[in-house]
Amino acid sequence: MSKTAELKIGDASYQLPLVEGTENETGIDIGSLRSESGLITLDPGFKNTGSTKSAITFLDGEKGILRYRGYSIEELAEKSTFIEVAYLLIYGELPTPEQLSAFQNDIKVHTLVHEDIKKILEGFPSNAHPMGVLSSLVTSLTAFYPESLDPNRSADKVNLSIIRILAKMPTFAAWAYKNEVGHPVNYPDNELDYCSNFLKMMFALPAEKYEVDPVIANALDKLLILHADHEQNCSTSTVRVVGSSQASLYASISAGINALWGPLHGGANSAVINMLENIKKDGGDTKKWMAKAKDKDDPFRLMGFGHRVYKNFDPRAKIIKKAADDVLAKLGVNDPVLDIAKGLEEVALNDEYFVERKLYPNVDFYSGIIYRALGIPVDMFTVMFALGRLPGWIAQWKEMRENHEPIGRPRQIYVGENLRPYKGVSER
Ligand code: ACO
């Protein structure tokens, strides 16, 4: 007999089925609660609400475990490539050598974007934030590929939309940067791998020869793997909810980019560097800033610390901290904010406030330091995150579509005025 949970409200009792996942995660299915009792559940911020059953990413926040399709993030970061991980996330299995090569070639065929997209880019002022430019250019794909508006097309056609966005996103990301610095855009170089092509489009200048540094390309590839998916976070839930209305893949991904932008989510990577710079300018007194972070009357938060799900450690942060040391050493970069970051971490990990609340460094605490060492400007950090998260968003959108999930539409508890008679201005 399947297991149930019993909910008692006054004299009434309701049997609610339990749903168990492959890692023994258990949830109470409250689907019948409203029709049987008239009640809803209330959970602001969805802190304890499962929105879907998913086979993509497993995360155990207590044990600090993260796996894509059953493969540990540690192993993938060490041995795989971003393109292979993208394939794994989107199609469910690691590719054979033939599948990987076909996937890479398909992506290369579509890296170029329509020339008219340059006109859209030119319409942005140069101080436009690259995240806004990126999300707009992604939405513009709906105009250049109007057939993509219908997500109910055949699997092959949907796959073409998927390949196109994977291929064009590095071009958009690099062009968003070029717009910011007022330089001419570079076209994709299909001789290069995914990350090298992006780096060349981003940094090559017409008057100079540009050689991609393999240390930089490899470090970027690893960072993208670490960001590739993270189950039902804010931006991914946004992608799924927008897609659940049968909006197109491009519209859904563009919404995800905007959700990622905020400093409490992907925007934290820029916020961390700005915070570390401020601490440095202020004399580097980490204790003073820790006190500010703990003061409930002070809006300051220790950016890059804390996580909705990880309550032990963020496994991505562990890998990134080590990668930061390696990359800076390989590139011969000495960044004083790395020492400030390590000092802050040490103070926080031994501080009662942070220990009690289980606040640990998250993926964004050290990633900005690596991005900076790679020459990527602060405004572009969240764009890099979006580039990494793209395969996860696609996989989650695809899964939501293939599972025929219903439109996402939460309930609420209304706490406003009761019915009152309208009185026009003359009657008041
Ligand atoms: N600095 C100081 N205090 C913090 C911090 C922080 N970074 N994070 C949480 N807290 C405190 C809260 O004030 C709260 O204290 P209280 O119980 O006394 O009220 C308690 O810890 C719990 O925090 P919540 O905000 O309720 O936790 P929630 O799960 O809603 O938020 C979040 C998680 C948004 C990540 C939060 O920890 C935060 O704002 N961190 C800083 C921003 C950041 O680094 N975001 C990136 C997250 S990773 C990612 O999205 C890729």
Side-chain angles (χ1 to χ4, degrees):
M1 214 177 80
S2 55
K3 291 183 199 158
T4 57
E6 186 175 354
L7 176 68
K8 286 194 170 168
I9 303 167
D11 292 336
S13 112
Y14 305 93
Q15 298 297 319
L16 302 167
L18 294 187
V19 183
E20 225 166 275
T22 48
E23 291 286 343
N24 304 322
E25 287 181 305
T26 308
I28 303 172
D29 179 350
I30 51 111
S32 62
L33 185 64
R34 187 177 164 83
S35 60
E36 288 180 16
S37 68
L39 300 173
I40 66 158
T41 54
L42 180 65
D43 182 19
F46 314 120
K47 289 197 173 197
N48 197 34
T49 294
S51 59
T52 188
K53 290 188 224 165
S54 178
I56 301 171
T57 289
F58 174 66
L59 196 166
D60 183 328
E62 304 302 323
K63 296 192 186 130
I65 292 174
L66 173 62
R67 294 182 202 142
Y68 300 159
R69 302 280 189 188
Y71 297 98
S72 81
I73 190 66
E74 290 81 6
E75 216 178 349
L76 291 171
E78 194 193 327
K79 299 179 188 162
S80 187
T81 62
F82 177 62
I83 285 298
E84 188 185 45
V85 166
Y87 187 101
L88 171 71
L89 286 166
I90 296 168
Y91 304 110
E93 294 294 340
L94 285 171
T96 62
E98 295 74 34
Q99 286 169 329
L100 183 60
S101 147
F103 185 54
Q104 276 163 330
N105 286 336
D106 284 350
I107 291 175
K108 283 184 179 179
V109 168
H110 292 282
T111 50
L112 201 59
V113 301
H114 196 289
E115 272 301 285
D116 285 350
I117 288 187
K118 257 166 68 183
K119 293 187 191 143
I120 300 178
L121 187 74
E122 282 158 14
F124 282 98
S126 65
N127 63 356
H129 194 289
M131 281 297 275
V133 176
L134 182 69
S135 75
S136 306
L137 296 187
V138 168
T139 306
S140 80
L141 287 177
T142 57
F144 292 95
Y145 304 101
E147 67 280 11
S148 69
L149 290 171
D150 177 8
N152 295 312
R153 294 175 311 149
S154 69
D156 277 358
K157 289 187 174 145
V158 169
N159 197 50
L160 182 58
S161 296
I162 290 175
I163 295 290
R164 278 194 174 123
I165 191 159
L166 280 169
K168 295 179 198 309
M169 187 95 147
T171 314
F172 289 159
W175 284 16
Y177 169 67
K178 289 295 192 194
N179 175 67
E180 202 181 8
V181 288
H183 291 170
V185 299
N186 291 314
Y187 288 95
D189 180 345
N190 290 343
E191 295 293 308
L192 298 176
D193 62 71
Y194 198 79
C195 285
S196 301
N197 171 45
F198 166 73
L199 289 167
K200 188 172 171 193
M201 283 191 289
M202 172 111 177
F203 291 120
L205 293 170
E208 287 171 24
K209 192 168 161 44
Y210 180 81
E211 291 284 341
V212 179
D213 181 338
V215 172
I216 296 185
N218 288 338
L220 181 60
D221 200 77
K222 189 184 281 224
L223 280 172
L224 298 189
I225 292 175
L226 293 173
H227 286 89
D229 194 48
H230 212 234
E231 52 119 296
Q232 308 312 316
N233 56 79
C234 174
S235 56
T236 302
S237 301
T238 300
V239 169
R240 285 185 89 122
V241 169
V242 172
S244 75
S245 75
Q246 302 200 0
S248 72
L249 174 68
Y250 302 143
S252 307
I253 300 286
S254 179
I257 293 170
N258 286 314
L260 186 76
W261 193 352
L264 297 191
H265 190 15
N269 53 16
S270 312
V272 168
I273 284 288
N274 292 334
M275 171 189 81
L276 294 172
E277 280 295 345
N278 282 339
I279 297 176
K280 192 177 97 188
K281 258 191 239 146
D282 192 48
D285 181 357
T286 47
K287 292 217 169 76
K288 173 180 160 190
W289 290 81
M290 287 292 295
K292 271 169 78 64
K294 295 189 288 185
D295 180 356
K296 294 289 173 201
D297 296 325
D298 190 324
F300 175 75
R301 275 192 166 200
L302 199 54
M303 299 312 288
F305 257 77
H307 198 274
R308 171 61 59 79
V309 185
Y310 292 121
K311 300 297 175 198
N312 182 336
F313 66 93
D314 180 339
R316 303 166 301 172
K318 254 191 174 175
I319 301 171
I320 289 190
K321 183 179 177 186
K322 184 170 176 312
D325 278 330
D326 291 351
V327 171
L328 267 63
K330 273 191 197 153
L331 296 173
V333 173
N334 180 18
D335 191 338
V337 302
L338 179 58
D339 292 331
I340 295 180
K342 285 183 177 169
L344 261 181
E345 178 183 350
E346 205 181 314
V347 180
L349 293 184
N350 293 303
D351 188 285
E352 209 183 300
Y353 173 98
F354 283 81
V355 173
E356 244 176 36
R357 290 168 179 77
K358 300 187 173 170
L359 301 170
Y360 295 87
N362 59 50
V363 68
D364 287 327
F365 195 61
Y366 288 102
S367 65
I369 294 174
I370 307 188
Y371 287 136
R372 194 151 81 157
L374 304 186
I376 292 167
V378 178
D379 264 5
M380 282 293 289
F381 290 179
T382 315
V383 170
M384 305 316 298
F385 193 151
L387 206 53
R389 185 53 56 84
L390 180 63
W393 286 332
I394 294 170
Q396 301 271 351
W397 181 89
K398 186 166 168 275
E399 182 182 68
M400 179 275 306
R401 298 278 314 138
E402 288 168 357
N403 288 351
H404 304 291
E405 290 184 9
I407 186 166
R409 203 300 186 190
R411 296 273 180 169
Q412 65 164 17
I413 299 287
Y414 174 69
V415 295
E417 297 288 343
N418 295 118
L419 181 63
R420 44 183 170 165
Y422 169 76
K423 277 193 186 147
V425 177
S426 58
E427 295 164 281
R428 273 184 258 148

Short mmCIF file of all heavy atoms in Angstrom, two decimals, residues 143-188:
data_model
loop_
_atom_site.label_atom_id
_atom_site.label_comp_id
_atom_site.label_asym_id
_atom_site.label_seq_id
_atom_site.Cartn_x
_atom_site.Cartn_y
_atom_site.Cartn_z
N ALA A 143 11.80 37.02 -33.06
CA ALA A 143 11.47 37.74 -34.29
C ALA A 143 12.21 37.16 -35.49
O ALA A 143 11.67 37.11 -36.60
CB ALA A 143 11.81 39.21 -34.13
N PHE A 144 13.43 36.71 -35.26
CA PHE A 144 14.22 36.18 -36.39
C PHE A 144 13.84 34.72 -36.70
O PHE A 144 14.07 34.25 -37.81
CB PHE A 144 15.72 36.31 -36.09
CG PHE A 144 16.14 37.76 -36.06
CD1 PHE A 144 16.20 38.47 -34.87
CD2 PHE A 144 16.41 38.43 -37.25
CE1 PHE A 144 16.55 39.82 -34.84
CE2 PHE A 144 16.76 39.78 -37.24
CZ PHE A 144 16.82 40.48 -36.04
N TYR A 145 13.29 34.03 -35.71
CA TYR A 145 12.86 32.64 -35.92
C TYR A 145 11.42 32.52 -35.43
O TYR A 145 11.16 31.90 -34.39
CB TYR A 145 13.77 31.66 -35.18
CG TYR A 145 15.21 31.83 -35.59
CD1 TYR A 145 16.11 32.53 -34.78
CD2 TYR A 145 15.65 31.35 -36.81
CE1 TYR A 145 17.43 32.74 -35.18
CE2 TYR A 145 16.96 31.56 -37.23
CZ TYR A 145 17.84 32.25 -36.42
OH TYR A 145 19.12 32.45 -36.83
N PRO A 146 10.45 33.12 -36.14
CA PRO A 146 9.07 33.16 -35.63
C PRO A 146 8.49 31.76 -35.42
O PRO A 146 7.62 31.57 -34.57
CB PRO A 146 8.29 33.93 -36.70
CG PRO A 146 9.20 34.11 -37.86
CD PRO A 146 10.59 33.85 -37.41
N GLU A 147 9.02 30.76 -36.15
CA GLU A 147 8.51 29.40 -35.96
C GLU A 147 8.81 28.90 -34.55
O GLU A 147 8.12 28.00 -34.04
CB GLU A 147 9.07 28.45 -37.03
CG GLU A 147 10.58 28.16 -36.96
CD GLU A 147 11.47 29.26 -37.58
OE1 GLU A 147 10.96 30.36 -37.88
OE2 GLU A 147 12.69 29.01 -37.73
N SER A 148 9.80 29.52 -33.88
CA SER A 148 10.15 29.08 -32.51
C SER A 148 9.06 29.46 -31.51
O SER A 148 9.07 29.00 -30.37
CB SER A 148 11.47 29.71 -32.07
OG SER A 148 11.28 31.11 -31.88
N LEU A 149 8.13 30.34 -31.94
CA LEU A 149 7.08 30.78 -31.01
C LEU A 149 6.18 29.63 -30.59
O LEU A 149 5.55 29.69 -29.53
CB LEU A 149 6.22 31.88 -31.67
CG LEU A 149 6.92 33.22 -31.86
CD1 LEU A 149 6.07 34.16 -32.69
CD2 LEU A 149 7.22 33.86 -30.49
N ASP A 150 6.12 28.60 -31.40
CA ASP A 150 5.24 27.47 -31.08
C ASP A 150 6.05 26.33 -30.46
O ASP A 150 6.74 25.60 -31.18
CB ASP A 150 4.54 26.99 -32.37
CG ASP A 150 3.67 25.79 -32.11
OD1 ASP A 150 3.48 25.41 -30.92
OD2 ASP A 150 3.17 25.19 -33.09
N PRO A 151 5.96 26.15 -29.14
CA PRO A 151 6.76 25.09 -28.51
C PRO A 151 6.19 23.70 -28.76
O PRO A 151 6.79 22.71 -28.36
CB PRO A 151 6.70 25.45 -27.02
CG PRO A 151 5.42 26.19 -26.86
CD PRO A 151 5.13 26.88 -28.16
N ASN A 152 5.02 23.63 -29.43
CA ASN A 152 4.40 22.32 -29.67
C ASN A 152 4.83 21.71 -31.00
O ASN A 152 4.25 20.73 -31.45
CB ASN A 152 2.86 22.45 -29.66
CG ASN A 152 2.37 22.86 -28.29
OD1 ASN A 152 2.78 22.27 -27.29
ND2 ASN A 152 1.54 23.89 -28.23
N ARG A 153 5.83 22.30 -31.65
CA ARG A 153 6.29 21.74 -32.92
C ARG A 153 6.97 20.39 -32.68
O ARG A 153 7.17 19.97 -31.55
CB ARG A 153 7.28 22.70 -33.57
CG ARG A 153 6.65 24.02 -33.99
CD ARG A 153 7.70 24.97 -34.52
NE ARG A 153 8.83 25.06 -33.61
CZ ARG A 153 10.08 25.30 -33.99
NH1 ARG A 153 10.36 25.46 -35.24
NH2 ARG A 153 11.04 25.38 -33.11
N SER A 154 7.40 19.75 -33.75
CA SER A 154 8.03 18.42 -33.62
C SER A 154 9.32 18.55 -32.79
O SER A 154 9.92 19.62 -32.70
CB SER A 154 8.37 17.88 -35.00
OG SER A 154 9.41 18.66 -35.55
N ALA A 155 9.73 17.41 -32.23
CA ALA A 155 10.93 17.40 -31.38
C ALA A 155 12.15 17.92 -32.15
O ALA A 155 12.98 18.63 -31.59
CB ALA A 155 11.18 15.98 -30.87
N ASP A 156 12.25 17.60 -33.43
CA ASP A 156 13.40 18.06 -34.25
C ASP A 156 13.44 19.57 -34.33
O ASP A 156 14.49 20.20 -34.26
CB ASP A 156 13.28 17.53 -35.68
CG ASP A 156 13.80 16.13 -35.78
OD1 ASP A 156 14.27 15.61 -34.75
OD2 ASP A 156 13.71 15.56 -36.89
N LYS A 157 12.26 20.15 -34.50
CA LYS A 157 12.21 21.61 -34.64
C LYS A 157 12.50 22.30 -33.31
O LYS A 157 13.18 23.33 -33.28
CB LYS A 157 10.86 22.04 -35.21
CG LYS A 157 10.77 21.64 -36.67
CD LYS A 157 9.54 22.18 -37.34
CE LYS A 157 9.62 21.84 -38.83
NZ LYS A 157 8.32 21.55 -39.40
N VAL A 158 11.99 21.72 -32.24
CA VAL A 158 12.29 22.29 -30.92
C VAL A 158 13.80 22.17 -30.68
O VAL A 158 14.44 23.10 -30.17
CB VAL A 158 11.49 21.55 -29.81
CG1 VAL A 158 11.98 21.94 -28.43
CG2 VAL A 158 10.00 21.88 -29.94
N ASN A 159 14.38 21.05 -31.12
CA ASN A 159 15.81 20.86 -30.92
C ASN A 159 16.62 21.92 -31.69
O ASN A 159 17.65 22.38 -31.21
CB ASN A 159 16.22 19.45 -31.35
CG ASN A 159 17.58 19.11 -30.78
OD1 ASN A 159 17.82 19.29 -29.59
ND2 ASN A 159 18.50 18.71 -31.64
N LEU A 160 16.11 22.31 -32.85
CA LEU A 160 16.82 23.35 -33.62
C LEU A 160 16.82 24.67 -32.83
O LEU A 160 17.83 25.37 -32.80
CB LEU A 160 16.14 23.52 -34.99
CG LEU A 160 16.78 24.53 -35.93
CD1 LEU A 160 18.25 24.18 -36.21
CD2 LEU A 160 16.00 24.60 -37.25
N SER A 161 15.72 24.97 -32.17
CA SER A 161 15.68 26.19 -31.32
C SER A 161 16.70 26.07 -30.20
O SER A 161 17.37 27.05 -29.83
CB SER A 161 14.30 26.38 -30.68
OG SER A 161 13.33 26.60 -31.67
N ILE A 162 16.83 24.87 -29.65
CA ILE A 162 17.78 24.64 -28.56
C ILE A 162 19.21 24.86 -29.04
O ILE A 162 20.01 25.57 -28.42
CB ILE A 162 17.59 23.20 -27.99
CG1 ILE A 162 16.26 23.10 -27.25
CG2 ILE A 162 18.77 22.79 -27.10
CD1 ILE A 162 15.91 21.71 -26.74
N ILE A 163 19.52 24.26 -30.18
CA ILE A 163 20.89 24.39 -30.74
C ILE A 163 21.17 25.87 -31.04
O ILE A 163 22.26 26.38 -30.75
CB ILE A 163 21.03 23.53 -32.02
CG1 ILE A 163 20.89 22.05 -31.69
CG2 ILE A 163 22.34 23.83 -32.75
CD1 ILE A 163 22.02 21.43 -30.91
N ARG A 164 20.18 26.53 -31.60
CA ARG A 164 20.41 27.94 -31.97
C ARG A 164 20.76 28.79 -30.75
O ARG A 164 21.70 29.58 -30.79
CB ARG A 164 19.15 28.52 -32.64
CG ARG A 164 19.05 28.17 -34.09
CD ARG A 164 18.00 29.02 -34.79
NE ARG A 164 18.02 28.75 -36.22
CZ ARG A 164 16.97 28.33 -36.91
NH1 ARG A 164 15.80 28.14 -36.33
NH2 ARG A 164 17.09 28.12 -38.20
N ILE A 165 20.04 28.62 -29.66
CA ILE A 165 20.34 29.49 -28.51
C ILE A 165 21.67 29.11 -27.87
O ILE A 165 22.44 29.99 -27.46
CB ILE A 165 19.18 29.57 -27.51
CG1 ILE A 165 19.49 30.69 -26.54
CG2 ILE A 165 18.90 28.29 -26.79
CD1 ILE A 165 18.34 31.26 -25.81
N LEU A 166 21.98 27.82 -27.83
CA LEU A 166 23.29 27.42 -27.29
C LEU A 166 24.40 28.05 -28.12
O LEU A 166 25.43 28.50 -27.60
CB LEU A 166 23.45 25.90 -27.34
CG LEU A 166 22.79 25.09 -26.23
CD1 LEU A 166 22.83 23.60 -26.59
CD2 LEU A 166 23.48 25.31 -24.89
N ALA A 167 24.21 28.08 -29.44
CA ALA A 167 25.24 28.58 -30.35
C ALA A 167 25.36 30.10 -30.30
O ALA A 167 26.46 30.66 -30.38
CB ALA A 167 24.90 28.14 -31.78
N LYS A 168 24.23 30.79 -30.16
CA LYS A 168 24.24 32.25 -30.29
C LYS A 168 24.49 33.00 -28.98
O LYS A 168 24.84 34.16 -28.98
CB LYS A 168 22.93 32.73 -30.93
CG LYS A 168 22.79 32.23 -32.36
CD LYS A 168 21.50 32.67 -33.00
CE LYS A 168 21.15 31.83 -34.22
NZ LYS A 168 22.18 31.67 -35.23
N MET A 169 24.27 32.31 -27.88
CA MET A 169 24.40 33.00 -26.59
C MET A 169 25.82 33.57 -26.38
O MET A 169 25.95 34.71 -25.94
CB MET A 169 24.01 32.04 -25.46
CG MET A 169 23.95 32.70 -24.15
SD MET A 169 22.30 33.25 -23.72
CE MET A 169 22.45 32.98 -21.95
N PRO A 170 26.92 32.82 -26.69
CA PRO A 170 28.25 33.43 -26.53
C PRO A 170 28.40 34.67 -27.41
O PRO A 170 29.04 35.65 -27.02
CB PRO A 170 29.22 32.32 -26.97
CG PRO A 170 28.46 31.05 -26.79
CD PRO A 170 27.02 31.40 -27.09
N THR A 171 27.83 34.62 -28.62
CA THR A 171 27.91 35.78 -29.52
C THR A 171 27.20 36.98 -28.88
O THR A 171 27.75 38.09 -28.82
CB THR A 171 27.28 35.43 -30.90
OG1 THR A 171 27.76 34.15 -31.32
CG2 THR A 171 27.59 36.48 -31.94
N PHE A 172 26.00 36.74 -28.37
CA PHE A 172 25.25 37.83 -27.71
C PHE A 172 26.02 38.37 -26.50
O PHE A 172 26.08 39.57 -26.28
CB PHE A 172 23.89 37.33 -27.22
CG PHE A 172 22.90 37.04 -28.31
CD1 PHE A 172 21.82 36.19 -28.07
CD2 PHE A 172 23.00 37.65 -29.55
CE1 PHE A 172 20.89 35.94 -29.06
CE2 PHE A 172 22.06 37.39 -30.55
CZ PHE A 172 21.00 36.52 -30.30
N ALA A 173 26.56 37.43 -25.71
CA ALA A 173 27.25 37.84 -24.48
C ALA A 173 28.46 38.71 -24.82
O ALA A 173 28.66 39.79 -24.23
CB ALA A 173 27.68 36.60 -23.69
N ALA A 174 29.25 38.27 -25.81
CA ALA A 174 30.43 39.05 -26.19
C ALA A 174 30.01 40.39 -26.79
O ALA A 174 30.63 41.43 -26.52
CB ALA A 174 31.27 38.25 -27.20
N TRP A 175 28.95 40.40 -27.57
CA TRP A 175 28.51 41.65 -28.20
C TRP A 175 27.94 42.63 -27.16
O TRP A 175 28.08 43.84 -27.31
CB TRP A 175 27.46 41.35 -29.28
CG TRP A 175 28.07 40.78 -30.55
CD1 TRP A 175 29.33 40.24 -30.69
CD2 TRP A 175 27.47 40.71 -31.84
NE1 TRP A 175 29.53 39.83 -31.98
CE2 TRP A 175 28.41 40.09 -32.72
CE3 TRP A 175 26.23 41.07 -32.36
CZ2 TRP A 175 28.13 39.86 -34.07
CZ3 TRP A 175 25.96 40.84 -33.70
CH2 TRP A 175 26.91 40.25 -34.55
N ALA A 176 27.31 42.08 -26.13
CA ALA A 176 26.80 42.96 -25.06
C ALA A 176 27.97 43.71 -24.42
O ALA A 176 27.88 44.90 -24.09
CB ALA A 176 26.05 42.14 -24.01
N TYR A 177 29.10 43.01 -24.30
CA TYR A 177 30.31 43.64 -23.73
C TYR A 177 30.88 44.68 -24.71
O TYR A 177 31.24 45.79 -24.32
CB TYR A 177 31.34 42.56 -23.41
CG TYR A 177 32.70 43.12 -23.07
CD1 TYR A 177 32.90 43.86 -21.91
CD2 TYR A 177 33.79 42.92 -23.92
CE1 TYR A 177 34.15 44.40 -21.60
CE2 TYR A 177 35.04 43.44 -23.62
CZ TYR A 177 35.20 44.19 -22.46
OH TYR A 177 36.43 44.70 -22.17
N LYS A 178 30.94 44.30 -25.98
CA LYS A 178 31.49 45.22 -26.98
C LYS A 178 30.68 46.51 -27.01
O LYS A 178 31.22 47.61 -27.18
CB LYS A 178 31.49 44.57 -28.37
CG LYS A 178 32.52 43.46 -28.52
CD LYS A 178 33.94 44.00 -28.41
CE LYS A 178 35.00 43.01 -28.83
NZ LYS A 178 36.34 43.42 -28.40
N ASN A 179 29.37 46.39 -26.83
CA ASN A 179 28.52 47.58 -26.81
C ASN A 179 28.90 48.47 -25.62
O ASN A 179 28.96 49.69 -25.73
CB ASN A 179 27.05 47.16 -26.69
CG ASN A 179 26.13 48.35 -26.52
OD1 ASN A 179 25.97 49.14 -27.43
ND2 ASN A 179 25.53 48.49 -25.34
N GLU A 180 29.20 47.81 -24.49
CA GLU A 180 29.52 48.56 -23.28
C GLU A 180 30.83 49.34 -23.44
O GLU A 180 30.94 50.47 -22.99
CB GLU A 180 29.64 47.57 -22.11
CG GLU A 180 29.43 48.23 -20.77
CD GLU A 180 29.56 47.23 -19.63
OE1 GLU A 180 29.95 46.08 -19.84
OE2 GLU A 180 29.29 47.65 -18.49
N VAL A 181 31.82 48.72 -24.11
CA VAL A 181 33.11 49.42 -24.24
C VAL A 181 33.22 50.21 -25.53
O VAL A 181 34.22 50.88 -25.78
CB VAL A 181 34.30 48.42 -24.12
CG1 VAL A 181 34.46 47.94 -22.71
CG2 VAL A 181 34.16 47.25 -25.08
N GLY A 182 32.18 50.14 -26.37
CA GLY A 182 32.16 50.93 -27.60
C GLY A 182 33.12 50.42 -28.67
O GLY A 182 33.59 51.21 -29.50
N HIS A 183 33.40 49.11 -28.65
CA HIS A 183 34.29 48.55 -29.68
C HIS A 183 33.47 47.83 -30.74
O HIS A 183 32.36 47.39 -30.47
CB HIS A 183 35.25 47.54 -29.05
CG HIS A 183 36.27 48.16 -28.15
ND1 HIS A 183 37.09 47.44 -27.34
CD2 HIS A 183 36.59 49.47 -27.92
CE1 HIS A 183 37.87 48.24 -26.65
NE2 HIS A 183 37.58 49.48 -26.97
N PRO A 184 34.06 47.67 -31.94
CA PRO A 184 33.34 46.90 -32.96
C PRO A 184 33.19 45.45 -32.53
O PRO A 184 34.06 44.92 -31.82
CB PRO A 184 34.23 47.01 -34.21
CG PRO A 184 35.58 47.35 -33.69
CD PRO A 184 35.38 48.13 -32.43
N VAL A 185 32.09 44.83 -32.96
CA VAL A 185 31.88 43.43 -32.55
C VAL A 185 32.78 42.52 -33.37
O VAL A 185 33.20 42.87 -34.47
CB VAL A 185 30.41 43.00 -32.73
CG1 VAL A 185 29.49 43.84 -31.87
CG2 VAL A 185 29.98 43.02 -34.19
N ASN A 186 33.09 41.35 -32.79
CA ASN A 186 33.80 40.31 -33.53
C ASN A 186 32.82 39.22 -33.92
O ASN A 186 31.88 38.92 -33.16
CB ASN A 186 34.89 39.69 -32.64
CG ASN A 186 36.01 40.66 -32.37
OD1 ASN A 186 36.49 41.33 -33.28
ND2 ASN A 186 36.41 40.76 -31.11
N TYR A 187 33.06 38.62 -35.07
CA TYR A 187 32.22 37.50 -35.50
C TYR A 187 32.78 36.19 -34.94
O TYR A 187 33.97 36.11 -34.62
CB TYR A 187 32.14 37.47 -37.03
CG TYR A 187 31.31 38.61 -37.56
CD1 TYR A 187 31.89 39.80 -37.97
CD2 TYR A 187 29.91 38.51 -37.58
CE1 TYR A 187 31.12 40.86 -38.41
CE2 TYR A 187 29.13 39.57 -38.03
CZ TYR A 187 29.74 40.74 -38.44
OH TYR A 187 28.97 41.79 -38.86
N PRO A 188 31.90 35.17 -34.82
CA PRO A 188 32.38 33.90 -34.27
C PRO A 188 33.47 33.27 -35.12
O PRO A 188 33.51 33.48 -36.34
CB PRO A 188 31.12 33.01 -34.30
CG PRO A 188 29.97 33.90 -34.62
CD PRO A 188 30.48 35.16 -35.18
#
